[in-house]
């Protein structure tokens, strides 16, 4: 879809005057600098309002699992809107929410059988923390309210979820936040301190030792705070912010043992990692652990309608089933009939087209294609899992020296973000930790798309090296 010059100019003027965009520097848009306006999507590609095409290397925002332009998802929304456009699930229910809850529970590991619907991921995280607090009050452990999460980890923007988030720069403007959150080291093996590697020179043994060390930092934090005060540990299967940190072998198994030992709930924050991103419906399945709660959103509907969920075990749900107890928490649009219908149709696509199998069959090719970029001096590390990868950029490859804040600003926002987009690739250049480029394409991507990403990245990163 290409707009006329007159309509395009009208959109730019209205957007600059009236639209408050998210996480955006509005001072960057003036008469000489236009807002990027995306007007159409089909398959692996999106088009801007002037008709230029871009490979969607981020699935919108880790969301569009089934690809753009799926008519059956639009038709599912339209059909449901005609039948029942809205009804809340506050003491009532509707068929789509019931059917979807049953279906999600069937995919979830072990006895995660109870599904609480939200409209997005931050709300799901907020829900999990509130549920954990009330669970312990109902089980006569009222002091257990605190949360442990990881440094640089992003868990959402509501006040509770932002408090759990481990990125100081995102929090400073909104202090004071909800108290009682503690942050521990993440699983960035590329930046692992020497003392965490177990004294071995073997990389495999180093990785295993690092995983145990990182998990043990959680126990240290629980003990420091007092086990009778800690309610939950929130962890992503693969940590997003900082650039896709996968868990070392044995990490989640050790964390599960620690949580069991101290009666702390383990929350697997899978807002990004669920629904095929790692080649399984849930990342916990991929890495062989059973959490007490799972938070999810994004890929549940492939982004065709907003929906999130918190999934809890029978154990967590049990005290809420007693007498006149209720969980006094909810959202007007949580479990919205249209969104639930879209989610069911989206999961039909997953099953019919075997999208998880496709990711598992092609994740090795995706990794190996991106690893070709390691021959560039600016590329220090390529890491991730499934169709979820980060490329860390460095100033000195031998020493792993990173960029100063000013250099990172010049590299990422002054050059890379614009250059990658102008060369036809939509992805993310991020410096919430060390500077990285993140790639998370729709799950329908194949080798031709991997090659296209690599070629654009190679061209732009080669040019970026000259700026250092």
């Amino acid at each position: 879809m290409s707009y006329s010059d007159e309509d395009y100019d009208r959109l730019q003027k209205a957007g600059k005057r009236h639209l408050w965009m998210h996480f955006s520097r509005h001072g960057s848009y003036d008469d000489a600098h236009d807002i990027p306006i995306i007007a159409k999507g089909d398959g692996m590609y999106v088009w801007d309002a002037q008709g230029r095409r871009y490979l969607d290397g981020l699935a919108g925002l880790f969301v569009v699992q089934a690809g753009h332009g799926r008519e059956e998802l639009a038709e599912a929304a339209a059909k449901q809107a005609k039948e029942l456009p809205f009804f809340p699930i506050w003491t009532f229910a509707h068929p789509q929410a019931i059917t979807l809850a049953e279906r999600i529970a069937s995919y979830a590991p072990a006895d995660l059988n109870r599904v609480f619907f939200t409209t997005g991921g931050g709300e799901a995280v907020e829900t999990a923390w509130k549920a954990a607090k009330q669970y312990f009050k109902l089980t006569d452990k009222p002091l257990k309210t605190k949360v442990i999460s990881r440094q640089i980890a992003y868990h959402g923007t509501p006040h509770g979820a932002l408090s759990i988030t481990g990125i100081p720069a995102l929090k400073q403007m909104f202090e004071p936040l909800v108290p009682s959150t503690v942050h521990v080291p993440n699983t960035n093996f590329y930046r692992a301190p020497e003392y965490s590697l177990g004294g071995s020179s073997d990389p495999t043994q180093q990785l295993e030792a690092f995983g145990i060390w990182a998990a043990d930092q959680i126990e240290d934090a629980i003990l420091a705070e007092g086990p009778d005060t800690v309610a939950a540990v929130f962890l992503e299967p693969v940590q997003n912010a900082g650039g896709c940190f996968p868990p070392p072998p044995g990490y989640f198994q050790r964390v599960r043992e620690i949580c069991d030992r101290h009666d702390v709930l383990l929350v697997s924050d899978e807002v990004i990692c669920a629904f095929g991103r790692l080649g399984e419906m849930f990342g916990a399945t991929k890495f062989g652990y059973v959490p007490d709660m799972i938070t999810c959103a994004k890929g549940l509907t492939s982004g065709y309608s907003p929906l999130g969920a918190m999934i809890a075990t029978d154990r967590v749900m049990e005290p809420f089933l007693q007498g006149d107890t209720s969980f006094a928490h909810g959202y007007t649009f949580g479990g919205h009939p249209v969104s639930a219908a879209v989610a069911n149709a989206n999961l039909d696509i997953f099953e019919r087209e075997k999208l998880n199998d496709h990711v598992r069959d092609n994740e090795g090719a995706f990794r190996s294609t991106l690893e070709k970029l390691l021959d560039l001096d600016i590329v220090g590390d390529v890491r991730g899992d499934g169709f979820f990868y980060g490329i860390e950029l460095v100033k000195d490859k031998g020493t792993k020296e990173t960029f100063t804040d000013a250099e990172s600003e010049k590299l990422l926002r002054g050059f890379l973000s614009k250059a990658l987009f102008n060369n036809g690739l939509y992805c993310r250049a991020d410096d919430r930790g060390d500077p990285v480029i993140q790639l998370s394409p729709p799950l329908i991507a194949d080798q031709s798309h991997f090659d296209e990403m690599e070629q654009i990245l190679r061209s732009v990163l080669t040019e970026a090296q000259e700026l250092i």
Side-chain angles (χ1 to χ4, degrees):
M1 176 181 291
S2 180
Y3 287 77
S4 68
D5 289 345
E6 181 180 354
D7 286 341
Y8 179 79
D9 290 343
R10 178 184 59 79
L11 285 171
Q12 285 294 334
K13 183 177 179 181
K16 292 172 183 176
R17 178 65 183 89
H18 298 292
L19 181 62
W20 196 335
M21 292 176 288
H22 301 195
F23 290 98
S24 298
R25 297 180 177 184
H26 284 77
S28 300
Y29 304 116
D30 53 29
D31 291 342
H33 298 89
D34 283 351
I35 299 169
I37 301 174
I38 302 302
K40 176 187 173 182
D42 184 49
M44 286 290 300
Y45 296 89
V46 294
W47 284 258
D48 68 19
Q50 294 181 307
R52 292 183 290 252
R53 190 183 81 162
Y54 307 88
L55 175 62
D56 184 358
L58 203 63
L61 193 61
F62 319 104
V63 172
V64 190
Q65 316 295 61
H68 298 275
R70 292 280 192 160
E71 291 186 8
E72 68 186 275
L73 298 184
E75 290 167 357
K79 179 182 177 182
Q80 181 59 43
K82 291 177 183 177
E83 187 172 289
L84 179 68
F86 173 76
F87 210 80
I89 52 174
W90 297 39
T91 73
F92 292 84
H94 55 77
Q96 291 289 357
I98 293 170
T99 301
L100 181 60
E102 180 184 38
R103 193 169 191 175
I104 291 171
S106 74
Y107 297 140
D111 67 338
L112 282 107
N113 288 318
R114 191 67 67 149
V115 181
F116 186 104
F117 286 116
T118 68
T119 60
E123 290 178 354
V125 170
E126 202 85 2
T127 299
W129 192 3
K130 289 177 74 174
K133 285 182 175 181
Q134 187 170 351
Y135 168 82
F136 283 115
K137 286 179 172 60
L138 293 173
T139 55
D140 298 322
K141 295 183 178 181
L143 297 181
K144 291 176 80 70
T145 60
K146 298 177 184 177
V147 164
I148 293 170
S149 59
R150 295 184 292 202
Q151 294 163 357
I152 315 177
Y154 176 82
H155 292 284
T157 55
H159 266 65
L162 186 58
S163 301
I164 298 172
T165 291
I167 307 171
L170 288 184
K171 305 164 76 161
Q172 292 168 352
M173 294 299 104
F174 309 107
E175 299 283 0
L177 294 171
V178 182
S180 302
T181 59
V182 179
H183 300 98
V184 298
N186 55 51
T187 59
N188 182 1
F189 183 60
Y190 185 67
R191 296 289 178 185
E194 185 68 29
Y195 57 77
S196 70
L197 303 179
S200 174
S201 59
D202 178 75
T204 300
Q205 293 179 8
Q206 287 182 336
L207 182 60
E208 292 175 354
F210 173 63
I212 297 304
W213 173 85
D216 285 347
Q217 303 313 297
I218 294 173
E219 182 162 43
D220 288 350
I222 292 172
L223 293 172
E225 294 299 314
D228 59 340
T229 72
V230 179
V233 174
F234 280 71
L235 304 173
E236 297 166 276
V238 175
Q239 182 174 317
N240 170 39
C244 303
F245 306 144
Y251 173 79
F252 274 110
Q253 288 68 34
R254 184 66 157 246
V255 172
R256 180 71 270 180
E257 293 171 2
I258 291 167
C259 289
D260 289 343
R261 183 155 55 244
H262 300 292
D263 194 18
V264 172
L265 299 178
L266 174 56
V267 182
S268 189
D269 184 357
E270 307 206 15
V271 171
I272 288 176
C273 291
F275 305 110
R277 184 54 49 197
L278 306 179
E280 298 283 354
M281 283 300 187
F282 294 103
T285 303
K286 178 70 173 276
F287 297 116
Y289 65 96
V290 178
D292 298 290
M293 288 184 271
I294 293 174
T295 56
C296 58
K298 294 187 183 287
L300 176 55
T301 64
S302 283
Y304 283 68
S305 191
L307 188 65
M310 183 277 286
I311 314 164
T313 60
D314 292 340
R315 171 202 169 196
V316 170
M317 185 65 193
E318 196 277 333
F320 293 92
L321 300 174
Q322 305 305 312
D324 60 358
T325 300
S326 71
F327 184 31
H329 173 69
Y331 301 99
T332 299
F333 296 114
H336 192 283
V338 173
S339 294
V342 171
N344 276 313
N346 181 54
L347 295 173
D348 287 343
I349 292 174
F350 264 81
E351 293 178 1
R352 185 179 68 246
E353 299 184 10
K354 296 181 171 55
L355 291 185
N356 285 319
D357 290 346
H358 179 76
V359 172
R360 290 195 296 268
D361 291 343
N362 289 275
E363 61 182 342
F366 187 35
R367 174 188 284 273
S368 63
T369 302
L370 295 179
E371 284 179 340
K372 293 179 181 179
L373 298 167
L374 287 167
D375 66 356
L376 298 176
D377 292 339
I378 197 173
V379 175
D381 193 28
V382 174
R383 56 180 177 254
D385 201 282
F387 276 16
F388 186 36
Y389 273 83
I391 300 169
E392 182 169 335
L393 308 179
V394 293
K395 184 158 63 173
D396 187 307
K397 198 163 185 170
T399 64
K400 301 183 183 180
E401 181 184 0
T402 192
F403 297 91
T404 66
D405 290 345
E407 291 168 336
S408 182
E409 175 75 17
K410 177 182 177 182
L411 178 67
L412 294 186
R413 294 175 186 83
F415 177 71
L416 276 177
S417 293
K418 297 174 185 176
L420 288 166
F421 191 66
N422 289 339
N423 279 269
L425 176 62
Y426 167 69
C427 59
R428 173 184 253 180
D430 190 15
D431 61 352
R432 289 177 293 180
D434 294 299
V436 296
I437 294 172
Q438 283 187 291
L439 296 157
S440 176
L443 307 186
I444 59 173
D446 60 29
Q447 187 62 55
S448 66
H449 305 114
F450 306 155
D451 289 339
E452 186 175 354
M453 286 183 233
E454 191 271 340
Q455 289 159 14
I456 294 172
L457 286 163
R458 178 172 295 279
S459 175
V460 173
L461 289 173
T462 299
E463 188 175 352
Q465 290 179 157
E466 305 303 318
L467 301 176
I468 301 171

